[in-house]
């Protein structure tokens, strides 16, 4: 919906990959396989590819304090590589605080986000495209997750 980012959200459609060199997500075998399995999704260049990242930290900088926070961040992978890792395009979806590390129970906290991502995959969402000044039906896919398994 923003005129500043609209043109960048579909850049991957016209992006020319260098043969046998993986420069970006769309160059990888996983993305090519996803597009071949889900042609209805890849046919619309305005559909959104997301990555979900989790990381834990101790806000008190002490390993003795039994308190930790888990950050859950969504990253939009439609943007060019120089943009998708900028802080303004990383969305803090939730902060999971706790007296102890959430460990293996983090899935309970993530349930609502998982349900919402499932809805965005399963059902088209009416969205406005500022470049064409028209509404379109958009879907969202969660391409992969990046987790801090070492902290677990």
């Amino acid at each position: 919906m923003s005129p500043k980012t609209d043109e960048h959200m579909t850049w991957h459609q016209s992006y020319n990959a260098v043969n046998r060199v993986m420069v970006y997500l769309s160059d990888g075998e996983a993305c090519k396989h996803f597009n071949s399995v889900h042609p209805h999704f890849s046919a619309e260049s305005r559909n959104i590819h997301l990555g979900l990242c989790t990381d834990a930290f101790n806000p008190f900088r002490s390993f003795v304090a039994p308190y930790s926070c888990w950050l859950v961040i969504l990253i939009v992978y439609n943007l060019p590589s120089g943009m998708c890792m900028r802080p303004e395009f990383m969305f803090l979806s939730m902060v999971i605080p706790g007296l102890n590390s959430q460990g293996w129970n983090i899935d309970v906290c993530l349930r609502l986000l998982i349900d919402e991502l499932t809805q965005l995959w399963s059902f088209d969402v009416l969205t406005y495209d500022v470049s064409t000044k028209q509404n379109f039906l958009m879907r969202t896919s969660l391409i992969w997750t990046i987790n801090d398994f070492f902290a677990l």
Side-chain angles (χ1 to χ4, degrees), residues 61-82:
R61 297 183 184 175
S62 168
F63 290 109
V64 235
Y67 193 86
S68 67
C69 287
W70 280 81
L71 302 179
V72 179
I73 299 167
L74 285 172
I75 298 174
V76 179
Y77 281 112
N78 287 54
L79 297 168
S81 56

Side-chain angles (χ1 to χ4, degrees), residues 67-140:
Y67 193 86
S68 67
C69 287
W70 280 81
L71 302 179
V72 179
I73 299 167
L74 285 172
I75 298 174
V76 179
Y77 281 112
N78 287 54
L79 297 168
S81 56
M83 291 179 73
C84 71
M85 293 301 180
R86 289 186 193 163
E88 59 266 27
F89 299 113
M90 300 171 99
F91 301 100
L92 180 62
S93 300
M94 64 176 63
V95 176
I96 305 170
L99 286 176
N100 295 309
S101 174
Q102 295 297 322
W104 298 109
N105 296 325
I106 196 169
D107 60 327
V108 174
C109 301
L110 291 172
R111 183 77 254 166
L112 292 174
L113 179 60
I114 292 167
D115 290 345
E116 188 171 348
L117 289 171
T118 302
Q119 286 179 348
L120 290 170
W121 168 254
S122 302
F123 305 106
D124 295 331
V125 177
L126 188 62
T127 308
Y128 183 73
D129 183 352
V130 72
S131 65
T132 62
K133 297 183 177 33
Q134 293 179 344
N135 290 329
F136 73 100
L137 296 174
M138 180 188 74
R139 284 195 169 176
T140 303

Side-chain angles (χ1 to χ4, degrees), residues 40-54:
H40 66 282
F41 185 89
S42 59
E44 175 58 72
S45 65
R46 297 173 292 189
N47 285 334
I48 306 295
H49 293 286
L50 295 174
L52 184 130
C53 307
T54 61

